[in-house]
Every structure is written in structure tokens, then in C-alpha cells.
Amino acid sequence: KVFAAMVSSMDEGIGNITKALENAGLADNTIIVFSSDNGGNVNCVGKVTSSNYPYRGGKRALYEGGVRSPSFIWARNRLSPSKSNAMSHVTDWLPTFWSLASLQGKLKPNNPIKTKPLDGFDQWLAISENLPSNRTEFVINIDPKPVACGHRVPHAGLRWNEWKLIIGAGCPPSGWYPAPGLADLENPCSPHDSYIE
């Protein structure tokens, strides 16, 4: 009930913002993005609390369930309904918005953003035209020292095209956690490798 109330409240707040944009005549020149920085948290509280199925792992893991996350973008008159699976990274948002705002080269010469390259890539054509990503690789994480959430160290991950290099254990959680109701589970908090055929 609490989660449903939170989602309902967020939905109402977003509705208020979009209505204000409409009333101010700014909706046609606005882009709204929802994005996450990691997969769902599958930690145990007596049941599976989230599922990234069919991907392996969850929040904090180097596996796809820990690093893949959905995003959606609303941009009236700029985007048609579509889906993209292009490789992207959180650092790509700034260069993408930078390009859309057409700011490149328009700032004063002493502005440090103009003189230094951005870490990410402009991904607008991958998003809007379903073209290949400008990105072919990214570092997932590097943890050389122990951390409070129980990671085995050292561990690190790198993605290159369709390949992933994981050094160390890959971090917990590392199993496959099916969506609730997918099957009758004796222990819904344990990884279920048997679901992968």
C-alpha cells in the first residue's frame, strides 16, 4: 500500500508539472526523462522484493540485473513511440541534452565546459532514430576495497560490445530472481538458477 501511494503521489506531481508546462506554453520545448542508476533491489525481507528477470543479479551486482535499467523519455514533436536497446551509460545524458539544447560553441571561451570534453556520448540518434549507439564500452564498477554491503573484493566489471569482463565474484546478489508469481517457490529469497534453460 505504501509503494502504491508513493507511485500515485509521484504520478500526481508529474501531472502537475506537465500541466504547468502546458499552461506556460513550454511543453513543445521540453524533454522529460525517467531513468534509474541500477537494477532493482532483490534483497531479502522474507520474499523477493524486486525482479530483474530474465537478467541475473540485482542492485550492486555487476551482472545485467544490477546494471541494466529501464528509462523512458517524453519529448513531444521530437519522438515517436519506440524502443531502443542501444548501449548507453548514465554519463551519456549530459552530452545528449547538451546537443539537444544546441549549446556547443555558444558559451564564452573561458567556460570550462566548452574547453574540456564530456565523459559521455550524444545518444539522441540512437534514442530517436533507433540507430546504433555511439558507445561500445563502459566501466561498470571498480571496488578495490571492502564495502559495507558485503561485496567480495577486489571486484570490477567492464562491458565491451556484447562482452563483459568481471574480475572477482561479480558481487551479491548474483542469482536469478524470478518475478513474484512466476512459480511456487519454497525459498523465494535464494537464487534460482534452474529458471534459466
Side-chain angles (χ1 to χ4, degrees):
K1 290 181 181 180
V2 172
F3 182 76
M6 291 167 64
V7 171
S8 178
S9 178
M10 184 178 74
D11 188 52
E12 181 181 349
I14 294 163
N16 293 341
I17 291 169
T18 55
K19 184 175 180 182
L21 289 167
E22 291 281 358
N23 292 341
L26 299 173
D28 289 343
N29 199 28
T30 299
I31 298 172
I32 298 174
V33 176
F34 276 78
S35 183
S36 177
D37 63 343
N38 50 251
N41 190 352
V42 294
N43 281 347
C44 229
V45 289
K47 59 184 175 179
V48 175
T49 56
S50 182
S51 175
N52 302 300
Y53 189 81
Y55 301 114
R56 178 181 182 184
K59 181 178 180 177
R60 296 183 308 277
L62 301 179
Y63 303 106
E64 290 301 281
V67 298
R68 277 193 184 231
S69 60
S71 300
F72 75 82
I73 304 171
W74 179 87
R76 184 188 292 165
N77 301 325
R78 290 183 185 244
L79 282 178
S80 299
S82 64
K83 176 182 176 181
S84 172
N85 285 311
M87 181 189 294
S88 188
H89 188 267
V90 67
T91 59
D92 296 334
W93 285 125
L94 179 58
T96 302
F97 297 145
W98 184 263
S99 173
L100 287 170
S102 301
L103 292 175
Q104 188 63 43
K106 294 187 178 180
L107 298 176
K108 295 178 183 177
N110 64 350
N111 188 307
I113 296 176
K114 182 180 180 291
T115 59
K116 294 183 180 179
L118 298 173
D119 289 335
F121 296 91
D122 177 0
Q123 298 283 26
W124 187 249
L125 292 178
I127 294 167
S128 63
E129 305 293 330
N130 205 21
L131 294 177
S133 172
N134 289 320
R135 176 178 291 284
T136 58
E137 63 187 21
F138 63 89
V139 173
I140 299 170
N141 197 14
I142 300 174
D143 271 331
K145 297 182 179 181
V147 291
C149 58
H151 291 176
R152 296 181 192 140
V153 292
H155 73 267
L158 172 72
R159 171 90 183 267
W160 176 71
N161 292 322
E162 297 303 313
W163 295 90
K164 182 184 290 183
L165 172 66
I166 294 178
I167 299 171
C171 311
S174 62
W176 282 271
Y177 297 82
L182 185 62
D184 295 323
L185 305 175
E186 289 182 18
N187 182 2
C189 296
S190 64
H192 296 281
D193 297 352
S194 62
Y195 281 90
I196 303 304
E197 298 176 2

